[in-house]
mmCIF file of all heavy atoms in Angstrom:
data_model
loop_
_atom_site.group_PDB
_atom_site.id
_atom_site.type_symbol
_atom_site.label_atom_id
_atom_site.label_comp_id
_atom_site.label_asym_id
_atom_site.label_seq_id
_atom_site.Cartn_x
_atom_site.Cartn_y
_atom_site.Cartn_z
ATOM 1 N N MET A 1 -9.132 -24.756 -6.813
ATOM 2 C CA MET A 1 -8.411 -25.002 -8.043
ATOM 3 C C MET A 1 -6.925 -24.526 -7.951
ATOM 4 O O MET A 1 -6.084 -25.277 -8.268
ATOM 5 C CB MET A 1 -9.151 -24.252 -9.110
ATOM 6 C CG MET A 1 -8.423 -24.404 -10.538
ATOM 7 S SD MET A 1 -9.485 -23.582 -11.721
ATOM 8 C CE MET A 1 -8.225 -23.290 -12.909
ATOM 9 N N PHE A 2 -6.778 -23.248 -7.506
ATOM 10 C CA PHE A 2 -5.410 -22.729 -7.415
ATOM 11 C C PHE A 2 -4.554 -23.525 -6.340
ATOM 12 O O PHE A 2 -3.418 -23.685 -6.559
ATOM 13 C CB PHE A 2 -5.469 -21.275 -7.070
ATOM 14 C CG PHE A 2 -5.888 -20.415 -8.266
ATOM 15 C CD1 PHE A 2 -7.173 -19.858 -8.283
ATOM 16 C CD2 PHE A 2 -5.074 -20.321 -9.350
ATOM 17 C CE1 PHE A 2 -7.544 -19.042 -9.333
ATOM 18 C CE2 PHE A 2 -5.561 -19.513 -10.514
ATOM 19 C CZ PHE A 2 -6.724 -18.921 -10.452
ATOM 20 N N ARG A 3 -5.193 -23.895 -5.252
ATOM 21 C CA ARG A 3 -4.417 -24.583 -4.154
ATOM 22 C C ARG A 3 -4.009 -25.949 -4.763
ATOM 23 O O ARG A 3 -2.889 -26.337 -4.425
ATOM 24 C CB ARG A 3 -5.283 -24.815 -2.939
ATOM 25 C CG ARG A 3 -5.519 -23.517 -2.195
ATOM 26 C CD ARG A 3 -6.342 -23.747 -0.903
ATOM 27 N NE ARG A 3 -6.591 -22.435 -0.242
ATOM 28 C CZ ARG A 3 -7.301 -22.421 0.760
ATOM 29 N NH1 ARG A 3 -7.786 -23.446 1.352
ATOM 30 N NH2 ARG A 3 -7.497 -21.158 1.313
ATOM 31 N N THR A 4 -4.810 -26.602 -5.525
ATOM 32 C CA THR A 4 -4.411 -27.891 -6.070
ATOM 33 C C THR A 4 -3.220 -27.709 -7.072
ATOM 34 O O THR A 4 -2.238 -28.446 -7.013
ATOM 35 C CB THR A 4 -5.653 -28.570 -6.726
ATOM 36 O OG1 THR A 4 -6.597 -28.723 -5.865
ATOM 37 C CG2 THR A 4 -5.229 -29.978 -7.307
ATOM 38 N N TRP A 5 -3.429 -26.668 -7.952
ATOM 39 C CA TRP A 5 -2.313 -26.436 -8.939
ATOM 40 C C TRP A 5 -1.100 -26.036 -8.200
ATOM 41 O O TRP A 5 -0.004 -26.523 -8.606
ATOM 42 C CB TRP A 5 -2.902 -25.312 -9.772
ATOM 43 C CG TRP A 5 -1.923 -24.804 -10.743
ATOM 44 C CD1 TRP A 5 -1.386 -25.581 -11.920
ATOM 45 C CD2 TRP A 5 -1.113 -23.592 -10.841
ATOM 46 N NE1 TRP A 5 -0.443 -24.775 -12.603
ATOM 47 C CE2 TRP A 5 -0.227 -23.578 -11.973
ATOM 48 C CE3 TRP A 5 -1.055 -22.475 -10.003
ATOM 49 C CZ2 TRP A 5 0.620 -22.466 -12.194
ATOM 50 C CZ3 TRP A 5 -0.255 -21.462 -10.280
ATOM 51 C CH2 TRP A 5 0.560 -21.470 -11.357
ATOM 52 N N ASP A 6 -1.153 -25.287 -7.151
ATOM 53 C CA ASP A 6 -0.013 -24.700 -6.380
ATOM 54 C C ASP A 6 0.672 -26.077 -5.834
ATOM 55 O O ASP A 6 1.926 -26.133 -5.927
ATOM 56 C CB ASP A 6 -0.386 -23.848 -5.395
ATOM 57 C CG ASP A 6 0.855 -23.213 -4.684
ATOM 58 O OD1 ASP A 6 1.817 -22.985 -5.286
ATOM 59 O OD2 ASP A 6 0.734 -22.902 -3.431
ATOM 60 N N ALA A 7 -0.138 -26.932 -5.226
ATOM 61 C CA ALA A 7 0.435 -28.169 -4.551
ATOM 62 C C ALA A 7 1.158 -28.991 -5.623
ATOM 63 O O ALA A 7 2.115 -29.616 -5.349
ATOM 64 C CB ALA A 7 -0.604 -28.882 -3.855
ATOM 65 N N GLN A 8 0.590 -29.101 -6.838
ATOM 66 C CA GLN A 8 1.166 -29.903 -7.911
ATOM 67 C C GLN A 8 2.492 -29.378 -8.425
ATOM 68 O O GLN A 8 3.388 -30.100 -8.732
ATOM 69 C CB GLN A 8 0.160 -30.102 -8.982
ATOM 70 C CG GLN A 8 -1.021 -30.836 -8.724
ATOM 71 C CD GLN A 8 -2.055 -30.889 -9.897
ATOM 72 O OE1 GLN A 8 -1.901 -30.061 -10.920
ATOM 73 N NE2 GLN A 8 -3.039 -31.683 -9.789
ATOM 74 N N CYS A 9 2.652 -28.032 -8.244
ATOM 75 C CA CYS A 9 3.902 -27.430 -8.728
ATOM 76 C C CYS A 9 4.843 -27.111 -7.666
ATOM 77 O O CYS A 9 5.794 -26.412 -7.868
ATOM 78 C CB CYS A 9 3.474 -26.091 -9.428
ATOM 79 S SG CYS A 9 2.483 -26.334 -10.880
ATOM 80 N N GLY A 10 4.675 -27.674 -6.505
ATOM 81 C CA GLY A 10 5.688 -27.605 -5.407
ATOM 82 C C GLY A 10 5.356 -26.504 -4.530
ATOM 83 O O GLY A 10 6.126 -26.255 -3.516
ATOM 84 N N GLY A 11 4.255 -26.003 -4.501
ATOM 85 C CA GLY A 11 3.881 -24.791 -3.559
ATOM 86 C C GLY A 11 4.710 -23.515 -3.716
ATOM 87 O O GLY A 11 5.403 -23.350 -4.746
ATOM 88 N N GLY A 12 4.442 -22.595 -2.943
ATOM 89 C CA GLY A 12 5.162 -21.338 -2.947
ATOM 90 C C GLY A 12 4.379 -20.213 -3.669
ATOM 91 O O GLY A 12 4.919 -19.159 -3.739
ATOM 92 N N LEU A 13 3.171 -20.550 -4.132
ATOM 93 C CA LEU A 13 2.424 -19.509 -4.903
ATOM 94 C C LEU A 13 2.106 -18.331 -3.989
ATOM 95 O O LEU A 13 2.286 -17.163 -4.308
ATOM 96 C CB LEU A 13 1.187 -20.106 -5.525
ATOM 97 C CG LEU A 13 0.429 -19.320 -6.384
ATOM 98 C CD1 LEU A 13 1.166 -18.732 -7.581
ATOM 99 C CD2 LEU A 13 -0.891 -19.947 -6.832
ATOM 100 N N ARG A 14 1.622 -18.614 -2.750
ATOM 101 C CA ARG A 14 1.270 -17.602 -1.834
ATOM 102 C C ARG A 14 2.510 -16.735 -1.490
ATOM 103 O O ARG A 14 2.436 -15.609 -1.379
ATOM 104 C CB ARG A 14 0.690 -18.192 -0.549
ATOM 105 C CG ARG A 14 0.128 -17.105 0.388
ATOM 106 C CD ARG A 14 -0.460 -17.649 1.661
ATOM 107 N NE ARG A 14 -1.607 -18.684 1.246
ATOM 108 C CZ ARG A 14 -2.142 -19.553 2.082
ATOM 109 N NH1 ARG A 14 -1.649 -19.624 3.361
ATOM 110 N NH2 ARG A 14 -3.164 -20.254 1.654
ATOM 111 N N HIS A 15 3.599 -17.385 -1.194
ATOM 112 C CA HIS A 15 4.938 -16.742 -0.870
ATOM 113 C C HIS A 15 5.238 -15.728 -2.034
ATOM 114 O O HIS A 15 5.585 -14.610 -1.699
ATOM 115 C CB HIS A 15 5.909 -17.801 -0.642
ATOM 116 C CG HIS A 15 7.312 -17.140 -0.461
ATOM 117 N ND1 HIS A 15 7.722 -16.475 0.734
ATOM 118 C CD2 HIS A 15 8.394 -17.033 -1.295
ATOM 119 C CE1 HIS A 15 8.941 -16.057 0.628
ATOM 120 N NE2 HIS A 15 9.328 -16.340 -0.623
ATOM 121 N N LYS A 16 5.208 -16.244 -3.203
ATOM 122 C CA LYS A 16 5.563 -15.329 -4.366
ATOM 123 C C LYS A 16 4.645 -14.142 -4.473
ATOM 124 O O LYS A 16 5.091 -13.053 -4.734
ATOM 125 C CB LYS A 16 5.480 -16.143 -5.624
ATOM 126 C CG LYS A 16 6.683 -17.082 -5.758
ATOM 127 C CD LYS A 16 6.651 -17.898 -7.022
ATOM 128 C CE LYS A 16 7.772 -18.920 -7.093
ATOM 129 N NZ LYS A 16 7.684 -19.761 -8.329
ATOM 130 N N ALA A 17 3.333 -14.324 -4.160
ATOM 131 C CA ALA A 17 2.374 -13.289 -4.239
ATOM 132 C C ALA A 17 2.781 -12.197 -3.164
ATOM 133 O O ALA A 17 2.709 -11.028 -3.482
ATOM 134 C CB ALA A 17 0.898 -13.785 -4.019
ATOM 135 N N VAL A 18 3.115 -12.658 -1.922
ATOM 136 C CA VAL A 18 3.350 -11.803 -0.857
ATOM 137 C C VAL A 18 4.584 -10.994 -1.194
ATOM 138 O O VAL A 18 4.756 -9.815 -0.933
ATOM 139 C CB VAL A 18 3.493 -12.542 0.494
ATOM 140 C CG1 VAL A 18 4.022 -11.676 1.542
ATOM 141 C CG2 VAL A 18 2.155 -12.979 0.874
ATOM 142 N N VAL A 19 5.572 -11.739 -1.720
ATOM 143 C CA VAL A 19 6.873 -11.020 -1.998
ATOM 144 C C VAL A 19 6.667 -9.961 -3.128
ATOM 145 O O VAL A 19 7.218 -8.964 -3.009
ATOM 146 C CB VAL A 19 8.032 -12.095 -2.394
ATOM 147 C CG1 VAL A 19 9.152 -11.420 -3.008
ATOM 148 C CG2 VAL A 19 8.341 -12.902 -1.238
ATOM 149 N N GLY A 20 5.780 -10.370 -4.073
ATOM 150 C CA GLY A 20 5.524 -9.357 -5.159
ATOM 151 C C GLY A 20 4.935 -8.198 -4.631
ATOM 152 O O GLY A 20 5.241 -6.987 -4.990
ATOM 153 N N GLN A 21 3.904 -8.215 -3.724
ATOM 154 C CA GLN A 21 3.284 -7.091 -3.102
ATOM 155 C C GLN A 21 4.189 -6.291 -2.208
ATOM 156 O O GLN A 21 4.169 -4.986 -2.368
ATOM 157 C CB GLN A 21 2.061 -7.630 -2.224
ATOM 158 C CG GLN A 21 0.970 -8.208 -3.040
ATOM 159 C CD GLN A 21 -0.110 -8.811 -2.260
ATOM 160 O OE1 GLN A 21 0.021 -8.893 -0.994
ATOM 161 N NE2 GLN A 21 -1.211 -9.339 -2.790
ATOM 162 N N LEU A 22 5.103 -6.958 -1.453
ATOM 163 C CA LEU A 22 6.015 -6.188 -0.732
ATOM 164 C C LEU A 22 6.993 -5.437 -1.594
ATOM 165 O O LEU A 22 7.325 -4.254 -1.252
ATOM 166 C CB LEU A 22 6.816 -7.148 0.209
ATOM 167 C CG LEU A 22 5.981 -7.660 1.412
ATOM 168 C CD1 LEU A 22 6.843 -8.681 2.107
ATOM 169 C CD2 LEU A 22 5.561 -6.557 2.299
ATOM 170 N N HIS A 23 7.334 -5.938 -2.661
ATOM 171 C CA HIS A 23 8.229 -5.334 -3.651
ATOM 172 C C HIS A 23 7.554 -4.168 -4.207
ATOM 173 O O HIS A 23 8.253 -2.941 -4.331
ATOM 174 C CB HIS A 23 8.681 -6.322 -4.807
ATOM 175 C CG HIS A 23 9.513 -5.723 -5.722
ATOM 176 N ND1 HIS A 23 10.929 -5.480 -5.513
ATOM 177 C CD2 HIS A 23 9.365 -5.303 -7.052
ATOM 178 C CE1 HIS A 23 11.483 -4.909 -6.552
ATOM 179 N NE2 HIS A 23 10.612 -4.844 -7.530
ATOM 180 N N GLU A 24 6.231 -4.175 -4.577
ATOM 181 C CA GLU A 24 5.575 -3.068 -5.077
ATOM 182 C C GLU A 24 5.400 -1.941 -4.049
ATOM 183 O O GLU A 24 5.710 -0.768 -4.333
ATOM 184 C CB GLU A 24 4.181 -3.475 -5.525
ATOM 185 C CG GLU A 24 3.372 -2.389 -6.139
ATOM 186 C CD GLU A 24 3.872 -1.949 -7.541
ATOM 187 O OE1 GLU A 24 4.581 -2.653 -8.149
ATOM 188 O OE2 GLU A 24 3.531 -0.792 -7.851
ATOM 189 N N VAL A 25 5.133 -2.303 -2.786
ATOM 190 C CA VAL A 25 5.052 -1.191 -1.707
ATOM 191 C C VAL A 25 6.445 -0.584 -1.512
ATOM 192 O O VAL A 25 6.521 0.611 -1.312
ATOM 193 C CB VAL A 25 4.532 -1.902 -0.383
ATOM 194 C CG1 VAL A 25 4.719 -1.003 0.817
ATOM 195 C CG2 VAL A 25 3.080 -2.379 -0.598
ATOM 196 N N THR A 26 7.552 -1.310 -1.557
ATOM 197 C CA THR A 26 8.841 -0.784 -1.398
ATOM 198 C C THR A 26 9.162 0.289 -2.504
ATOM 199 O O THR A 26 9.628 1.303 -2.281
ATOM 200 C CB THR A 26 9.958 -1.940 -1.381
ATOM 201 O OG1 THR A 26 9.654 -2.882 -0.316
ATOM 202 C CG2 THR A 26 11.252 -1.371 -1.209
ATOM 203 N N ASP A 27 8.736 -0.143 -3.772
ATOM 204 C CA ASP A 27 8.937 0.809 -4.825
ATOM 205 C C ASP A 27 8.201 2.048 -4.564
ATOM 206 O O ASP A 27 8.680 3.209 -4.915
ATOM 207 C CB ASP A 27 8.544 0.154 -6.194
ATOM 208 C CG ASP A 27 9.570 -0.874 -6.696
ATOM 209 O OD1 ASP A 27 10.677 -0.993 -6.104
ATOM 210 O OD2 ASP A 27 9.154 -1.676 -7.513
ATOM 211 N N LEU A 28 6.871 1.950 -4.145
ATOM 212 C CA LEU A 28 6.102 3.122 -3.897
ATOM 213 C C LEU A 28 6.675 4.045 -2.840
ATOM 214 O O LEU A 28 6.693 5.217 -2.897
ATOM 215 C CB LEU A 28 4.709 2.701 -3.610
ATOM 216 C CG LEU A 28 3.877 2.140 -4.728
ATOM 217 C CD1 LEU A 28 2.544 1.599 -4.284
ATOM 218 C CD2 LEU A 28 3.657 3.151 -5.904
ATOM 219 N N LEU A 29 7.160 3.451 -1.745
ATOM 220 C CA LEU A 29 7.745 4.202 -0.614
ATOM 221 C C LEU A 29 9.027 4.793 -1.093
ATOM 222 O O LEU A 29 9.372 5.911 -0.446
ATOM 223 C CB LEU A 29 7.917 3.230 0.520
ATOM 224 C CG LEU A 29 6.740 2.713 1.267
ATOM 225 C CD1 LEU A 29 7.067 1.702 2.352
ATOM 226 C CD2 LEU A 29 5.943 3.911 1.887
ATOM 227 N N GLN A 30 9.772 4.305 -2.056
ATOM 228 C CA GLN A 30 11.032 5.018 -2.366
ATOM 229 C C GLN A 30 10.803 6.164 -3.312
ATOM 230 O O GLN A 30 11.615 7.075 -3.433
ATOM 231 C CB GLN A 30 11.856 3.908 -3.126
ATOM 232 C CG GLN A 30 12.527 2.884 -2.101
ATOM 233 C CD GLN A 30 13.354 1.883 -2.789
ATOM 234 O OE1 GLN A 30 13.371 1.771 -3.990
ATOM 235 N NE2 GLN A 30 13.973 1.048 -1.982
ATOM 236 N N GLU A 31 9.685 6.269 -3.909
ATOM 237 C CA GLU A 31 9.265 7.478 -4.738
ATOM 238 C C GLU A 31 9.023 8.631 -3.873
ATOM 239 O O GLU A 31 8.502 8.477 -2.732
ATOM 240 C CB GLU A 31 8.151 7.204 -5.637
ATOM 241 C CG GLU A 31 8.305 6.092 -6.675
ATOM 242 C CD GLU A 31 7.097 5.737 -7.432
ATOM 243 O OE1 GLU A 31 6.010 6.532 -7.368
ATOM 244 O OE2 GLU A 31 7.116 4.808 -8.306
ATOM 245 N N ALA A 32 9.381 9.792 -4.330
ATOM 246 C CA ALA A 32 9.033 11.036 -3.597
ATOM 247 C C ALA A 32 7.550 11.299 -3.568
ATOM 248 O O ALA A 32 6.881 11.290 -4.593
ATOM 249 C CB ALA A 32 9.743 12.183 -4.201
ATOM 250 N N GLN A 33 6.899 11.418 -2.341
ATOM 251 C CA GLN A 33 5.615 11.654 -2.208
ATOM 252 C C GLN A 33 5.343 13.057 -1.773
ATOM 253 O O GLN A 33 5.675 13.519 -0.765
ATOM 254 C CB GLN A 33 5.118 10.651 -1.050
ATOM 255 C CG GLN A 33 5.271 9.262 -1.358
ATOM 256 C CD GLN A 33 4.363 8.761 -2.548
ATOM 257 O OE1 GLN A 33 3.294 9.183 -2.691
ATOM 258 N NE2 GLN A 33 4.978 7.958 -3.305
ATOM 259 N N PRO A 34 4.623 13.788 -2.661
ATOM 260 C CA PRO A 34 4.385 15.183 -2.253
ATOM 261 C C PRO A 34 3.231 15.353 -1.166
ATOM 262 O O PRO A 34 2.400 14.324 -1.119
ATOM 263 C CB PRO A 34 3.732 15.809 -3.691
ATOM 264 C CG PRO A 34 3.199 14.623 -4.422
ATOM 265 C CD PRO A 34 4.194 13.422 -3.937
ATOM 266 N N SER A 35 3.327 16.221 -0.379
ATOM 267 C CA SER A 35 2.331 16.407 0.774
ATOM 268 C C SER A 35 1.033 17.002 0.175
ATOM 269 O O SER A 35 1.090 18.143 -0.388
ATOM 270 C CB SER A 35 2.952 17.418 1.768
ATOM 271 O OG SER A 35 1.957 17.508 2.816
ATOM 272 N N THR A 36 -0.021 16.285 0.226
ATOM 273 C CA THR A 36 -1.225 16.771 -0.384
ATOM 274 C C THR A 36 -2.230 17.167 0.630
ATOM 275 O O THR A 36 -3.209 17.723 0.353
ATOM 276 C CB THR A 36 -1.872 15.701 -1.238
ATOM 277 O OG1 THR A 36 -2.196 14.530 -0.454
ATOM 278 C CG2 THR A 36 -1.047 15.372 -2.416
ATOM 279 N N SER A 37 -1.954 16.993 1.908
ATOM 280 C CA SER A 37 -2.858 17.440 2.981
ATOM 281 C C SER A 37 -2.110 18.011 4.063
ATOM 282 O O SER A 37 -0.985 17.662 4.401
ATOM 283 C CB SER A 37 -3.742 16.220 3.455
ATOM 284 O OG SER A 37 -2.934 15.234 4.064
ATOM 285 N N PRO A 38 -2.681 18.955 4.789
ATOM 286 C CA PRO A 38 -2.043 19.571 5.936
ATOM 287 C C PRO A 38 -1.898 18.498 7.009
ATOM 288 O O PRO A 38 -2.641 17.575 7.248
ATOM 289 C CB PRO A 38 -2.958 20.720 6.386
ATOM 290 C CG PRO A 38 -4.278 20.331 5.839
ATOM 291 C CD PRO A 38 -3.999 19.487 4.534
ATOM 292 N N SER A 39 -0.894 18.796 7.823
ATOM 293 C CA SER A 39 -0.674 17.996 8.976
ATOM 294 C C SER A 39 -1.709 17.998 9.980
ATOM 295 O O SER A 39 -2.454 19.089 10.077
ATOM 296 C CB SER A 39 0.634 18.369 9.697
ATOM 297 O OG SER A 39 0.850 17.696 10.848
ATOM 298 N N ALA A 40 -2.023 16.832 10.615
ATOM 299 C CA ALA A 40 -3.157 16.775 11.581
ATOM 300 C C ALA A 40 -2.800 17.687 12.794
ATOM 301 O O ALA A 40 -3.725 18.106 13.548
ATOM 302 C CB ALA A 40 -3.418 15.400 11.931
ATOM 303 N N SER A 41 -1.571 17.829 13.040
ATOM 304 C CA SER A 41 -1.129 18.629 14.250
ATOM 305 C C SER A 41 -1.231 20.096 14.050
ATOM 306 O O SER A 41 -1.174 20.826 14.978
ATOM 307 C CB SER A 41 0.226 18.209 14.749
ATOM 308 O OG SER A 41 1.131 18.459 13.770
ATOM 309 N N SER A 42 -1.200 20.536 12.824
ATOM 310 C CA SER A 42 -1.296 21.972 12.623
ATOM 311 C C SER A 42 -2.717 22.536 12.424
ATOM 312 O O SER A 42 -3.554 21.935 11.749
ATOM 313 C CB SER A 42 -0.462 22.366 11.290
ATOM 314 O OG SER A 42 -1.062 21.791 10.193
ATOM 315 N N PRO A 43 -3.053 23.624 13.235
ATOM 316 C CA PRO A 43 -4.451 24.096 13.099
ATOM 317 C C PRO A 43 -4.680 24.734 11.814
ATOM 318 O O PRO A 43 -3.710 25.166 11.160
ATOM 319 C CB PRO A 43 -4.460 25.153 14.222
ATOM 320 C CG PRO A 43 -3.092 25.503 14.461
ATOM 321 C CD PRO A 43 -2.222 24.318 14.092
ATOM 322 N N ALA A 44 -5.925 24.837 11.400
ATOM 323 C CA ALA A 44 -6.364 25.437 10.179
ATOM 324 C C ALA A 44 -6.137 26.973 10.439
ATOM 325 O O ALA A 44 -6.438 27.493 11.457
ATOM 326 C CB ALA A 44 -7.848 25.110 9.953
ATOM 327 N N PRO A 45 -5.976 27.726 9.311
ATOM 328 C CA PRO A 45 -5.791 29.157 9.475
ATOM 329 C C PRO A 45 -7.148 29.761 9.793
ATOM 330 O O PRO A 45 -8.098 29.199 9.481
ATOM 331 C CB PRO A 45 -5.374 29.618 8.077
ATOM 332 C CG PRO A 45 -5.129 28.438 7.342
ATOM 333 C CD PRO A 45 -5.637 27.204 8.000
ATOM 334 N N PRO A 46 -7.184 30.966 10.496
ATOM 335 C CA PRO A 46 -8.339 31.563 10.740
ATOM 336 C C PRO A 46 -9.144 31.969 9.466
ATOM 337 O O PRO A 46 -8.682 32.168 8.421
ATOM 338 C CB PRO A 46 -8.047 32.911 11.393
ATOM 339 C CG PRO A 46 -6.543 32.843 11.836
ATOM 340 C CD PRO A 46 -5.986 31.751 10.910
ATOM 341 N N ASN A 47 -10.480 31.945 9.577
ATOM 342 C CA ASN A 47 -11.344 32.142 8.500
ATOM 343 C C ASN A 47 -11.323 31.035 7.366
ATOM 344 O O ASN A 47 -11.676 31.331 6.216
ATOM 345 C CB ASN A 47 -11.211 33.542 7.826
ATOM 346 C CG ASN A 47 -11.421 34.598 8.937
ATOM 347 O OD1 ASN A 47 -12.303 34.536 9.754
ATOM 348 N ND2 ASN A 47 -10.689 35.669 8.832
ATOM 349 N N SER A 48 -10.736 29.894 7.678
ATOM 350 C CA SER A 48 -10.599 28.871 6.707
ATOM 351 C C SER A 48 -11.885 27.988 6.888
ATOM 352 O O SER A 48 -12.487 27.919 7.880
ATOM 353 C CB SER A 48 -9.358 28.111 7.076
ATOM 354 O OG SER A 48 -9.523 26.812 6.613
ATOM 355 N N PRO A 49 -12.240 27.470 5.757
ATOM 356 C CA PRO A 49 -13.549 26.489 5.829
ATOM 357 C C PRO A 49 -13.248 25.300 6.723
ATOM 358 O O PRO A 49 -14.171 24.792 7.354
ATOM 359 C CB PRO A 49 -13.658 25.900 4.396
ATOM 360 C CG PRO A 49 -12.745 26.781 3.573
ATOM 361 C CD PRO A 49 -11.806 27.485 4.369
ATOM 362 N N ASN A 50 -12.073 25.011 7.120
ATOM 363 C CA ASN A 50 -11.676 23.836 7.899
ATOM 364 C C ASN A 50 -11.531 24.355 9.406
ATOM 365 O O ASN A 50 -11.237 23.466 10.302
ATOM 366 C CB ASN A 50 -10.501 23.224 7.470
ATOM 367 C CG ASN A 50 -10.673 22.470 6.219
ATOM 368 O OD1 ASN A 50 -11.745 22.073 5.732
ATOM 369 N ND2 ASN A 50 -9.592 22.393 5.293
ATOM 370 N N SER A 51 -11.539 25.625 9.638
ATOM 371 C CA SER A 51 -11.328 26.088 11.077
ATOM 372 C C SER A 51 -12.561 25.884 11.826
ATOM 373 O O SER A 51 -13.618 25.933 11.386
ATOM 374 C CB SER A 51 -10.922 27.562 11.081
ATOM 375 O OG SER A 51 -11.939 28.278 10.613
ATOM 376 N N PRO A 52 -12.394 25.466 13.164
ATOM 377 C CA PRO A 52 -13.592 25.270 13.985
ATOM 378 C C PRO A 52 -14.360 26.505 14.342
ATOM 379 O O PRO A 52 -13.778 27.604 14.444
ATOM 380 C CB PRO A 52 -13.029 24.677 15.296
ATOM 381 C CG PRO A 52 -11.650 25.022 15.222
ATOM 382 C CD PRO A 52 -11.225 25.159 13.900
ATOM 383 N N ALA A 53 -15.715 26.438 14.295
ATOM 384 C CA ALA A 53 -16.548 27.557 14.601
ATOM 385 C C ALA A 53 -16.387 27.851 16.053
ATOM 386 O O ALA A 53 -16.413 27.099 16.846
ATOM 387 C CB ALA A 53 -17.966 27.327 14.222
ATOM 388 N N GLY A 54 -16.202 29.092 16.289
ATOM 389 C CA GLY A 54 -15.995 29.452 17.691
ATOM 390 C C GLY A 54 -16.677 30.648 18.178
ATOM 391 O O GLY A 54 -17.172 31.130 18.980
#
């Protein structure tokens, strides 16, 4: 149904959807993102629930 309607209106519906999604992602990336999880490269502190048992 949507493909037929898109073809009747000259196409471009998929292009507009992709551009809209990219615009939304760009807006999200430009906002300041607080760090909510520790870096994967930094070890957990001793006696932490996330530290490996040794």
Side-chain angles (χ1 to χ4, degrees):
M1 177 178 155
F2 287 110
R3 289 182 184 178
T4 304
W5 176 71
D6 186 38
Q8 290 173 350
C9 296
L13 184 61
R14 184 180 303 167
H15 173 75
K16 289 180 183 179
V18 170
V19 170
Q21 290 173 353
L22 289 173
H23 181 71
E24 183 67 24
V25 169
T26 302
D27 287 346
L28 291 172
L29 290 174
Q30 289 177 350
E31 294 177 6
Q33 299 293 321
S35 177
T36 57
S37 62
S39 171
S41 63
S42 63
N47 300 325
S48 152
N50 295 330
S51 64

